[in-house]
Amino acid sequence: MRSLWNDEEAKQFQGDLGLRVYTSRLLGGDKSLVLHGGGNTSVKIREKNLFGEEETVLYVKGSGWDLETIEPQGFSPVRLAHVLRLAELPELSDPEMVNQLVTHMLKASAPAPSIETILHGLMPQKFVDHTHADAVLSVSNTRDGEKRIREVYGRRCVIIPYLIPGFDLAQYCAREFKRQGTPDTIGMVLLNHGIFSFGDTAREAYERMIELVTLAENYLDSKDAWMVVPNRFTPGRVDVNAQANLRRKLSDTAGTPLILKTVTNDRTLSFAQHTDLGRISQQGPATPDHVIRTKRTPMIGTDVARYIEEYKAYFGKHAPQAKEPKTILDPAPRVVLDPTFGLAAAGRTAKDAAVVAEIYDHTIDVILRSEELGGFRALPAKDIFDVEYWDLEQAKLKKGGKPPAFAGEIALVTGAASGIGKAAVAAFLARGAAVVGLDRTRAFSRQAARSPICPPTSGARR
Ligand code: ZN
């Protein structure tokens, strides 16, 4: 992995917060580091308040923002002194933690700060970067993951066993940082979760992230576990009627229309035909945060009734152990693996379905690399349940507000390139539908190909 830092580009970003934006986007732009809202970054800046007093403000990624497209206003300015006082408390509930952070921001209109804010605050360095790098997860999510991670990083990283993000994890990391940290420490690995890097400048923290992830890549390469070569597979076949039926069943189960994106290629077919698919795909996600998009496990084949039963059993087993009462989410799978068509991803919008497909594409990499290292091993189901049913994670999904009227519906518009047809496309898109536009002109197909919403299929031209 190479650093993408570019002096010319960096010049366009002013001050520490500007450079924080720049390197956050560099991280966010690499899908093997973070995917869709995953990861977070921060910077601590000394500023004068209204009364002329100097204080340190922790600018931390606001929830709902994506590193790839973050702007300065996507960072929540929290008073660091208050964060550090909170960290001294013997305990702090999640709702109270969120309340305290939100009420100690310097800007009322700023987004709620990341759930990992206290952890960022407790790290002594000015810039803190956090990703869920595929390469690090591939090494960590194995039977002897901790031993391997120690072998890769030695004294360069503090190593933390898996704990759900939040107050307890932040305190644990701060203690371990003091205990394990050495002058050589430039990062911290959270096993089965991700990695942090630190630095005095935006560039230093970013390039240390690249350096640390490269170490994991080199380790995988040295064990012949870096290049994932698809196994032999029989060619795929997509039966559109069967896909439509599947979409109907998933939508009925979810209680809302869902868009289904089918990805039939060498990778997905090879994975869906893997001889050990039941074991490798039914353990859990590559990092817990993916669960809110993908659910804990994909459905193998198209027996939706069986999946529902298993999902209810999973809920029934873990919900009684939770601190507060939980309400079951819809039991529809979001990822389907099938030997005939490879992979199908379901989501409320075309974009959501594409996000699910992309997350699972990276999950396939992580699983296959971990397999080459002696066996993929995800976290126990209970830990994944705790994240799936964690109020703070659920809040991330709800942030989008009430879905638009036609979310999950597909509109087919003929004569879509001009006039009424074109206006109808715009109207349907504005109301949340996925639109398939048909017209006779080639120009329309080229225009549609640039749109992420409705790429043309072979049937788009008459
Ligand atoms: Zn994380």
Side-chain angles (χ1 to χ4, degrees), residues 282-297:
Q282 298 299 297
Q283 291 186 37
T287 184
D289 169 89
H290 291 170
V291 71
I292 57 170
R293 298 280 197 171
T294 61
K295 283 223 149 75
R296 190 179 79 88
T297 54

PDB file of all heavy atoms in Angstrom, residues 282-297:
ATOM      1  N   GLN A 282     -20.539 -18.648   7.666  1.00  0.00           N
ATOM      2  CA  GLN A 282     -21.593 -18.568   8.681  1.00  0.00           C
ATOM      3  C   GLN A 282     -21.060 -18.181  10.065  1.00  0.00           C
ATOM      4  O   GLN A 282     -21.733 -18.381  11.071  1.00  0.00           O
ATOM      5  CB  GLN A 282     -22.352 -19.900   8.760  1.00  0.00           C
ATOM      6  CG  GLN A 282     -23.067 -20.260   7.460  1.00  0.00           C
ATOM      7  CD  GLN A 282     -24.119 -19.229   7.063  1.00  0.00           C
ATOM      8  OE1 GLN A 282     -25.098 -19.008   7.756  1.00  0.00           O
ATOM      9  NE2 GLN A 282     -23.904 -18.551   5.931  1.00  0.00           N
ATOM     10  N   GLN A 283     -19.844 -17.620  10.105  1.00  0.00           N
ATOM     11  CA  GLN A 283     -19.279 -17.257  11.409  1.00  0.00           C
ATOM     12  C   GLN A 283     -19.589 -15.831  11.818  1.00  0.00           C
ATOM     13  O   GLN A 283     -19.775 -15.551  12.994  1.00  0.00           O
ATOM     14  CB  GLN A 283     -17.768 -17.419  11.369  1.00  0.00           C
ATOM     15  CG  GLN A 283     -17.325 -18.850  11.284  1.00  0.00           C
ATOM     16  CD  GLN A 283     -15.815 -18.924  11.408  1.00  0.00           C
ATOM     17  OE1 GLN A 283     -15.197 -18.179  12.172  1.00  0.00           O
ATOM     18  NE2 GLN A 283     -15.218 -19.810  10.660  1.00  0.00           N
ATOM     19  N   GLY A 284     -19.570 -14.927  10.846  1.00  0.00           N
ATOM     20  CA  GLY A 284     -19.802 -13.531  11.202  1.00  0.00           C
ATOM     21  C   GLY A 284     -19.019 -12.608  10.303  1.00  0.00           C
ATOM     22  O   GLY A 284     -18.245 -13.054   9.461  1.00  0.00           O
ATOM     23  N   PRO A 285     -19.236 -11.284  10.467  1.00  0.00           N
ATOM     24  CA  PRO A 285     -18.593 -10.306   9.579  1.00  0.00           C
ATOM     25  C   PRO A 285     -17.098 -10.151   9.867  1.00  0.00           C
ATOM     26  O   PRO A 285     -16.605 -10.632  10.888  1.00  0.00           O
ATOM     27  CB  PRO A 285     -19.340  -9.015   9.906  1.00  0.00           C
ATOM     28  CG  PRO A 285     -19.858  -9.201  11.289  1.00  0.00           C
ATOM     29  CD  PRO A 285     -20.086 -10.660  11.476  1.00  0.00           C
ATOM     30  N   ALA A 286     -16.418  -9.426   8.960  1.00  0.00           N
ATOM     31  CA  ALA A 286     -14.974  -9.213   9.109  1.00  0.00           C
ATOM     32  C   ALA A 286     -14.676  -8.271  10.268  1.00  0.00           C
ATOM     33  O   ALA A 286     -13.678  -8.416  10.964  1.00  0.00           O
ATOM     34  CB  ALA A 286     -14.395  -8.653   7.815  1.00  0.00           C
ATOM     35  N   THR A 287     -15.556  -7.291  10.485  1.00  0.00           N
ATOM     36  CA  THR A 287     -15.442  -6.389  11.643  1.00  0.00           C
ATOM     37  C   THR A 287     -16.886  -6.120  12.093  1.00  0.00           C
ATOM     38  O   THR A 287     -17.785  -6.046  11.244  1.00  0.00           O
ATOM     39  CB  THR A 287     -14.666  -5.093  11.293  1.00  0.00           C
ATOM     40  OG1 THR A 287     -14.502  -4.302  12.482  1.00  0.00           O
ATOM     41  CG2 THR A 287     -15.347  -4.261  10.235  1.00  0.00           C
ATOM     42  N   PRO A 288     -17.134  -6.023  13.411  1.00  0.00           N
ATOM     43  CA  PRO A 288     -18.512  -6.009  13.902  1.00  0.00           C
ATOM     44  C   PRO A 288     -19.404  -4.939  13.292  1.00  0.00           C
ATOM     45  O   PRO A 288     -20.582  -5.155  13.048  1.00  0.00           O
ATOM     46  CB  PRO A 288     -18.348  -5.763  15.402  1.00  0.00           C
ATOM     47  CG  PRO A 288     -16.992  -6.234  15.720  1.00  0.00           C
ATOM     48  CD  PRO A 288     -16.153  -6.019  14.503  1.00  0.00           C
ATOM     49  N   ASP A 289     -18.810  -3.778  13.010  1.00  0.00           N
ATOM     50  CA  ASP A 289     -19.537  -2.647  12.462  1.00  0.00           C
ATOM     51  C   ASP A 289     -20.288  -2.961  11.147  1.00  0.00           C
ATOM     52  O   ASP A 289     -21.294  -2.348  10.836  1.00  0.00           O
ATOM     53  CB  ASP A 289     -18.398  -1.633  12.332  1.00  0.00           C
ATOM     54  CG  ASP A 289     -18.632  -0.408  11.589  1.00  0.00           C
ATOM     55  OD1 ASP A 289     -19.073   0.505  12.248  1.00  0.00           O
ATOM     56  OD2 ASP A 289     -18.360  -0.358  10.386  1.00  0.00           O
ATOM     57  N   HIS A 290     -19.821  -3.973  10.404  1.00  0.00           N
ATOM     58  CA  HIS A 290     -20.508  -4.340   9.151  1.00  0.00           C
ATOM     59  C   HIS A 290     -21.886  -4.946   9.399  1.00  0.00           C
ATOM     60  O   HIS A 290     -22.708  -4.988   8.486  1.00  0.00           O
ATOM     61  CB  HIS A 290     -19.683  -5.370   8.360  1.00  0.00           C
ATOM     62  CG  HIS A 290     -18.421  -4.807   7.798  1.00  0.00           C
ATOM     63  ND1 HIS A 290     -17.454  -5.593   7.228  1.00  0.00           N
ATOM     64  CD2 HIS A 290     -17.961  -3.530   7.713  1.00  0.00           C
ATOM     65  CE1 HIS A 290     -16.458  -4.832   6.814  1.00  0.00           C
ATOM     66  NE2 HIS A 290     -16.729  -3.586   7.104  1.00  0.00           N
ATOM     67  N   VAL A 291     -22.122  -5.429  10.623  1.00  0.00           N
ATOM     68  CA  VAL A 291     -23.338  -6.199  10.866  1.00  0.00           C
ATOM     69  C   VAL A 291     -24.604  -5.391  10.576  1.00  0.00           C
ATOM     70  O   VAL A 291     -25.619  -5.928  10.132  1.00  0.00           O
ATOM     71  CB  VAL A 291     -23.364  -6.775  12.301  1.00  0.00           C
ATOM     72  CG1 VAL A 291     -23.582  -5.689  13.356  1.00  0.00           C
ATOM     73  CG2 VAL A 291     -24.450  -7.825  12.444  1.00  0.00           C
ATOM     74  N   ILE A 292     -24.551  -4.085  10.792  1.00  0.00           N
ATOM     75  CA  ILE A 292     -25.775  -3.294  10.581  1.00  0.00           C
ATOM     76  C   ILE A 292     -26.143  -3.205   9.106  1.00  0.00           C
ATOM     77  O   ILE A 292     -27.264  -2.874   8.760  1.00  0.00           O
ATOM     78  CB  ILE A 292     -25.694  -1.882  11.215  1.00  0.00           C
ATOM     79  CG1 ILE A 292     -24.488  -1.103  10.683  1.00  0.00           C
ATOM     80  CG2 ILE A 292     -25.656  -1.968  12.718  1.00  0.00           C
ATOM     81  CD1 ILE A 292     -24.524   0.363  11.104  1.00  0.00           C
ATOM     82  N   ARG A 293     -25.201  -3.501   8.231  1.00  0.00           N
ATOM     83  CA  ARG A 293     -25.471  -3.484   6.790  1.00  0.00           C
ATOM     84  C   ARG A 293     -25.733  -4.889   6.248  1.00  0.00           C
ATOM     85  O   ARG A 293     -26.556  -5.072   5.363  1.00  0.00           O
ATOM     86  CB  ARG A 293     -24.248  -2.948   6.040  1.00  0.00           C
ATOM     87  CG  ARG A 293     -23.875  -1.537   6.394  1.00  0.00           C
ATOM     88  CD  ARG A 293     -24.758  -0.574   5.657  1.00  0.00           C
ATOM     89  NE  ARG A 293     -24.217   0.771   5.646  1.00  0.00           N
ATOM     90  CZ  ARG A 293     -24.729   1.737   4.919  1.00  0.00           C
ATOM     91  NH1 ARG A 293     -25.784   1.517   4.164  1.00  0.00           N
ATOM     92  NH2 ARG A 293     -24.200   2.928   4.944  1.00  0.00           N
ATOM     93  N   THR A 294     -24.961  -5.856   6.748  1.00  0.00           N
ATOM     94  CA  THR A 294     -24.947  -7.189   6.119  1.00  0.00           C
ATOM     95  C   THR A 294     -25.691  -8.255   6.909  1.00  0.00           C
ATOM     96  O   THR A 294     -25.859  -9.362   6.447  1.00  0.00           O
ATOM     97  CB  THR A 294     -23.504  -7.692   5.958  1.00  0.00           C
ATOM     98  OG1 THR A 294     -22.911  -7.792   7.263  1.00  0.00           O
ATOM     99  CG2 THR A 294     -22.674  -6.744   5.106  1.00  0.00           C
ATOM    100  N   LYS A 295     -26.111  -7.946   8.132  1.00  0.00           N
ATOM    101  CA  LYS A 295     -26.551  -8.925   9.119  1.00  0.00           C
ATOM    102  C   LYS A 295     -25.362  -9.842   9.447  1.00  0.00           C
ATOM    103  O   LYS A 295     -24.328  -9.789   8.787  1.00  0.00           O
ATOM    104  CB  LYS A 295     -27.748  -9.728   8.622  1.00  0.00           C
ATOM    105  CG  LYS A 295     -29.034  -8.893   8.733  1.00  0.00           C
ATOM    106  CD  LYS A 295     -30.179  -9.728   9.281  1.00  0.00           C
ATOM    107  CE  LYS A 295     -31.149  -8.917  10.064  1.00  0.00           C
ATOM    108  NZ  LYS A 295     -32.040  -8.088   9.272  1.00  0.00           N
ATOM    109  N   ARG A 296     -25.521 -10.670  10.489  1.00  0.00           N
ATOM    110  CA  ARG A 296     -24.366 -11.438  10.948  1.00  0.00           C
ATOM    111  C   ARG A 296     -23.899 -12.452   9.903  1.00  0.00           C
ATOM    112  O   ARG A 296     -22.714 -12.626   9.667  1.00  0.00           O
ATOM    113  CB  ARG A 296     -24.695 -12.164  12.264  1.00  0.00           C
ATOM    114  CG  ARG A 296     -23.473 -12.790  12.918  1.00  0.00           C
ATOM    115  CD  ARG A 296     -23.821 -13.470  14.229  1.00  0.00           C
ATOM    116  NE  ARG A 296     -24.421 -14.770  14.048  1.00  0.00           N
ATOM    117  CZ  ARG A 296     -23.747 -15.905  13.946  1.00  0.00           C
ATOM    118  NH1 ARG A 296     -22.422 -15.908  14.022  1.00  0.00           N
ATOM    119  NH2 ARG A 296     -24.374 -17.051  13.784  1.00  0.00           N
ATOM    120  N   THR A 297     -24.840 -13.113   9.263  1.00  0.00           N
ATOM    121  CA  THR A 297     -24.454 -14.149   8.304  1.00  0.00           C
ATOM    122  C   THR A 297     -25.236 -13.994   7.003  1.00  0.00           C
ATOM    123  O   THR A 297     -26.379 -13.542   7.004  1.00  0.00           O
ATOM    124  CB  THR A 297     -24.775 -15.566   8.856  1.00  0.00           C
ATOM    125  OG1 THR A 297     -26.151 -15.598   9.231  1.00  0.00           O
ATOM    126  CG2 THR A 297     -23.924 -15.925  10.045  1.00  0.00           C
TER     127      THR A 297
END
